[in-house]
Coordinates of all heavy atoms in Angstrom, one line a residue:
D87 N 22.1 160.8 39.3 CA 22.9 161.3 40.4 C 22.3 162.7 40.8 O 22.2 162.9 42.0 CB 24.4 161.5 40.0 CG 25.1 160.2 39.9 OD1 24.6 159.2 40.5 OD2 26.1 160.1 39.2
A88 N 21.9 163.5 39.9 CA 21.4 164.8 40.2 C 20.0 164.6 40.9 O 19.8 165.3 41.9 CB 21.2 165.6 38.9
L89 N 19.3 163.6 40.5 CA 18.0 163.4 41.1 C 18.2 162.9 42.6 O 17.5 163.4 43.5 CB 17.3 162.3 40.3 CG 15.8 162.1 40.6 CD1 15.0 163.3 40.5 CD2 15.3 161.0 39.7
F90 N 19.1 162.0 42.8 CA 19.4 161.6 44.2 C 19.8 162.7 45.1 O 19.2 162.9 46.1 CB 20.5 160.5 44.2 CG 20.0 159.1 44.0 CD1 20.5 158.3 43.1 CD2 19.0 158.6 44.9 CE1 20.1 157.0 42.9 CE2 18.6 157.3 44.6 CZ 19.1 156.5 43.7
N91 N 20.7 163.5 44.6 CA 21.1 164.7 45.4 C 20.0 165.7 45.7 O 19.9 166.1 46.8 CB 22.3 165.4 44.6 CG 23.5 164.6 44.6 OD1 23.8 163.7 45.4 ND2 24.4 164.8 43.6
A92 N 19.2 165.9 44.7 CA 18.1 166.9 44.9 C 17.1 166.3 45.9 O 16.7 167.0 46.8 CB 17.4 167.1 43.5
Q93 N 16.8 165.1 45.7 CA 15.7 164.5 46.6 C 16.2 164.4 48.1 O 15.5 164.8 48.9 CB 15.4 163.1 46.1 CG 14.3 162.4 46.8 CD 12.9 163.1 46.7 OE1 12.7 163.8 45.7 NE2 12.1 163.0 47.7
F94 N 17.4 163.9 48.3 CA 17.8 163.6 49.6 C 18.5 164.7 50.4 O 18.5 164.7 51.6 CB 18.6 162.3 49.6 CG 17.9 161.1 49.1 CD1 18.3 160.5 47.9 CD2 16.8 160.6 49.7 CE1 17.6 159.5 47.4 CE2 16.1 159.6 49.2 CZ 16.5 159.0 48.1
D95 N 19.0 165.7 49.6 CA 19.7 166.8 50.3 C 18.9 168.1 50.2 O 18.6 168.7 51.3 CB 21.0 167.0 49.7 CG 22.0 165.8 49.9 OD1 21.8 165.1 50.9 OD2 22.8 165.6 49.0
E96 N 18.5 168.5 49.0 CA 17.9 169.8 48.9 C 16.6 169.9 49.6 O 16.3 170.9 50.3 CB 17.7 170.1 47.4 CG 19.0 170.3 46.6 CD 18.8 170.4 45.1 OE1 17.6 170.7 44.7 OE2 19.7 170.2 44.4
H97 N 15.7 168.9 49.5 CA 14.4 169.1 50.1 C 14.5 169.1 51.6 O 13.9 169.9 52.3 CB 13.5 167.9 49.7 CG 12.9 168.1 48.3 ND1 11.8 167.5 47.9 CD2 13.3 168.9 47.3 CE1 11.5 167.9 46.7 NE2 12.4 168.7 46.3
L98 N 15.3 168.2 52.2 CA 15.4 168.2 53.6 C 16.1 169.4 54.1 O 15.7 170.0 55.2 CB 16.2 166.9 54.1 CG 15.4 165.6 53.9 CD1 16.2 164.4 54.2 CD2 14.1 165.6 54.6
D99 N 17.1 169.9 53.4 CA 17.7 171.2 53.8 C 16.7 172.3 53.8 O 16.7 173.2 54.7 CB 18.9 171.5 52.9 CG 20.1 170.7 53.1 OD1 20.1 170.0 54.2 OD2 21.0 170.6 52.2
R100 N 15.8 172.4 52.8 CA 14.8 173.4 52.8 C 13.9 173.4 53.9 O 13.5 174.4 54.5 CB 14.0 173.3 51.5 CG 14.8 173.9 50.3 CD 13.8 174.1 49.1 NE 14.6 174.6 48.0 CZ 14.7 174.0 46.9 NH1 14.1 172.9 46.6 NH2 15.5 174.5 45.9
L101 N 13.5 172.2 54.3 CA 12.6 172.0 55.4 C 13.3 172.4 56.7 O 12.7 173.1 57.6 CB 12.1 170.5 55.6 CG 11.1 170.1 54.5 CD1 10.9 168.6 54.6 CD2 9.8 170.9 54.6
K102 N 14.6 172.1 56.8 CA 15.4 172.6 58.0 C 15.5 174.1 58.1 O 15.3 174.7 59.1 CB 16.8 172.0 58.0 CG 16.8 170.5 58.3 CD 18.2 169.9 58.2 CE 18.3 168.4 58.3 NZ 19.6 167.9 58.1
R103 N 15.7 174.7 56.9 CA 15.8 176.2 56.9 C 14.5 176.8 57.2 O 14.4 177.8 58.0 CB 16.3 176.6 55.5 CG 17.8 176.4 55.3 CD 18.3 177.2 54.1 NE 17.6 177.0 52.9 CZ 17.9 176.0 52.0 NH1 18.9 175.2 52.1 NH2 17.1 175.9 50.9
L104 N 13.4 176.2 56.7 CA 12.1 176.7 57.0 C 11.8 176.6 58.6 O 11.3 177.6 59.2 CB 11.0 176.0 56.3 CG 9.6 176.4 56.6 CD1 9.2 177.7 55.9 CD2 8.5 175.4 56.2
A105 N 12.1 175.5 59.1 CA 11.9 175.3 60.6 C 12.8 176.3 61.4 O 12.4 176.8 62.5 CB 12.3 173.9 61.0
G106 N 14.0 176.6 60.9 CA 14.9 177.5 61.6 C 14.4 179.0 61.5 O 14.5 179.8 62.4
R107 N 13.7 179.3 60.4 CA 13.2 180.6 60.2 C 11.9 180.9 60.8 O 11.6 182.0 61.3 CB 13.2 180.9 58.7 CG 12.8 182.3 58.3 CD 13.0 182.5 56.8 NE 12.5 183.8 56.5 CZ 12.1 184.2 55.3 NH1 12.1 183.3 54.3 NH2 11.6 185.4 55.1
F108 N 11.0 179.9 60.8 CA 9.7 180.0 61.4 C 9.5 178.8 62.4 O 9.4 177.7 62.0 CB 8.6 179.8 60.3 CG 8.7 180.9 59.2 CD1 9.3 180.6 58.0 CD2 8.1 182.1 59.4 CE1 9.4 181.5 57.0 CE2 8.2 183.1 58.4 CZ 8.8 182.8 57.2
D109 N 9.5 179.1 63.6 CA 9.3 178.1 64.6 C 7.8 177.7 64.6 O 6.9 178.2 63.9 CB 9.7 178.5 66.1 CG 8.9 179.7 66.6 OD1 7.8 180.0 66.0 OD2 9.3 180.3 67.6
R110 N 7.5 176.6 65.3 CA 6.1 176.0 65.2 C 5.0 177.0 65.5 O 4.0 177.1 64.8 CB 6.0 174.8 66.1 CG 4.6 174.2 66.0 CD 4.6 172.8 66.6 NE 4.4 171.9 65.5 CZ 4.4 170.6 65.6 NH1 4.6 170.1 66.8 NH2 4.3 169.9 64.6

Side-chain angles (χ1 to χ4, degrees):
D87 291 336
L89 191 56
F90 273 126
N91 290 335
Q93 183 66 26
F94 299 114
D95 295 333
E96 293 173 20
H97 282 200
L98 292 176
D99 285 346
R100 283 197 182 119
L101 289 173
K102 287 178 190 175
R103 286 194 306 270
L104 178 76
R107 187 170 172 204
F108 300 97
D109 64 12
R110 179 167 253 175

